[in-house]
Amino acid sequence: MVVLVTGANGQLGQAIQSISGKYPEIDFVFCSSSELDITNLENCQAVFSTYQPHFCINAAAYTAVDKAESEPAKAFNINANGAENLAITSKQHNTILIHISTDFVFDAYFSEGVAYYDREFRLPLKSNIGLSETDIPFPSGVYGLTKLQGEQAIQAIWEKHFIIRTSWVYSQFGNNFMKTMLRLASERDSLSVVADQIGTPTNAVDLAEVLLKIIQSPNTHRPSSFGIYNFSNEGQCSWYDFAKEIFSQSNITIDLKSIPTTAYPTPAKRPAYSVLDKSKLKEIFNIEIKDWQTSLNSCLN
């Protein structure tokens, strides 16, 4: 079985590489952006023709959330056009496409313990279990919009797809919140972290494991199985809670202060509530998911 992975040098790409040795039955083809430029349709077709992959995991993405506000064309080219090119090519080669998306396709906020969609329309959510795959996306920034456009392009072109929405990804690879907190703690005596954005951290290695379990599942080739799925670790927290747990598990003493989002303005607005309901993934693929604190401990150790 040939599995082609785009964005091989990114955080998820490296995470997949780190566990690839556990799957000797899979012939992995890891392609960096220089080897496979997903914004170039002819390049996609040439690479697919060479390797004839049974699956393609699209781990390539423009993920600079704030920078996307000033580089919308670049974000669109990678996140939307790139996804479209892979869908076209996957259809030509009958390759099952696994595409990674994001909680940023939603814009929800809290009011008196209830989660709502957009601040204008205020549509109630099932906040006790999280956002489901059938909840209506409502991105508020360029990054979330381009990722949603990528999802829509895939859905319109090629039915054999799995779109995996995930959130707050971290790992020992690349740049992420966990590594930033550890670095800042070595440079400062105190830190202020936002406490009114609620979501779930996701260990990139756990995400990689889930993608490979999907590939190997007997349910994968059933037409009814294709579609959108949510994955993150279990539980929920704020960024402040996440930072606090990072320092606690790392035995780091630091003056950590909680602040509201309004005290830390950014070019792109973050979803205030993006806890994902994983019921569908667990039911279809019989997958057990670690809680975020346990998975954090695995990563730190």
Side-chain angles (χ1 to χ4, degrees):
M1 181 194 303
V2 178
V3 176
L4 188 152
V5 181
T6 72
N9 292 339
Q11 184 173 197
L12 177 58
Q14 291 184 73
I16 297 171
Q17 291 187 64
S18 74
I19 62 171
S20 60
K22 295 165 57 177
Y23 298 87
E25 67 279 10
I26 297 177
D27 183 11
F28 288 96
V29 178
F30 291 100
C31 293
S32 65
S33 58
S34 61
E35 295 164 320
L36 174 51
D37 177 5
I38 67 171
T39 67
N40 185 316
L41 179 58
E42 290 74 22
N43 186 200
C44 293
Q45 292 169 328
V47 171
F48 273 58
S49 293
T50 298
Y51 295 106
Q52 298 294 321
H54 299 94
F55 289 85
C56 172
I57 299 176
N58 182 27
Y62 182 105
T63 58
V65 175
D66 288 322
K67 201 172 181 181
E69 297 298 310
S70 59
E71 292 185 340
K74 185 175 181 180
F76 177 83
N77 197 28
I78 297 171
N79 292 342
N81 283 348
E84 180 177 12
N85 289 338
L86 287 175
I88 292 170
T89 310
S90 293
K91 184 175 183 178
Q92 291 170 343
H93 291 266
N94 196 31
T95 300
I96 295 176
L97 177 59
I98 302 177
H99 175 74
I100 311 305
S101 193
T102 174
D103 60 324
F104 271 76
V105 300
F106 295 108
D107 173 23
Y109 78 107
F110 267 128
S111 176
E112 297 178 356
V114 178
Y116 292 91
Y117 278 134
D118 166 76
R119 289 167 172 77
E120 179 181 354
F121 296 104
R122 300 197 172 193
L123 304 175
L125 297 175
K126 304 177 291 294
S127 60
N128 59 321
I129 60 172
L131 294 152
S132 78
E133 293 85 352
T134 58
D135 284 320
I136 301 169
F138 203 107
S140 61
V142 170
Y143 169 65
L145 176 61
T146 58
K147 290 298 287 183
L148 178 60
Q149 290 170 327
E151 290 185 10
Q152 293 169 337
I154 292 169
Q155 290 172 307
I157 293 167
W158 182 224
E159 65 269 14
K160 292 185 179 181
H161 68 262
F162 295 97
I163 293 169
I164 313 296
R165 290 174 178 161
T166 191
S167 64
W168 297 24
V169 179
Y170 71 93
S171 68
Q172 60 267 51
F173 311 106
N175 298 314
N176 55 69
F177 182 82
M178 181 194 75
K179 292 175 72 175
T180 297
M181 289 298 102
L182 294 173
R183 176 179 58 80
L184 291 176
S186 70
E187 301 169 354
R188 305 179 186 179
D189 296 323
S190 66
L191 278 173
S192 297
V193 180
V194 169
D196 57 356
Q197 294 171 20
I198 308 299
T200 308
T202 303
N203 186 331
V205 175
D206 288 348
L207 174 57
E209 292 274 14
V210 164
L211 300 180
L212 298 181
K213 286 178 181 177
I214 289 174
I215 286 172
Q216 294 187 314
S217 171
N219 294 332
T220 295
H221 295 274
R222 295 178 181 174
S224 60
S225 296
F226 297 122
I228 298 175
Y229 291 82
N230 292 332
F231 177 76
S232 66
N233 286 112
E234 293 282 25
Q236 64 180 48
C237 64
S238 68
W239 289 109
Y240 169 81
D241 297 326
F242 189 16
K244 185 177 180 181
E245 188 69 15
I246 291 167
F247 297 139
S248 175
Q249 292 195 19
S250 303
N251 296 315
I252 292 173
T253 300
I254 189 169
D255 180 18
L256 185 65
K257 299 179 175 67
S258 64
I259 59 172
T261 298
T262 53
Y264 189 71
T266 54
K269 188 175 70 175
R270 269 65 175 169
Y273 178 83
S274 61
V275 178
L276 301 173
D277 173 20
K278 279 82 66 175
S279 301
K280 180 181 175 184
L281 181 78
K282 290 186 282 190
E283 179 182 349
I284 300 296
F285 295 106
N286 193 30
I287 287 174
E288 295 184 5
I289 303 175
K290 299 176 186 175
D291 66 76
W292 69 267
Q293 297 97 326
T294 300
S295 199
L296 173 64
N297 186 260
S298 297
C299 184
L300 288 170
N301 290 328

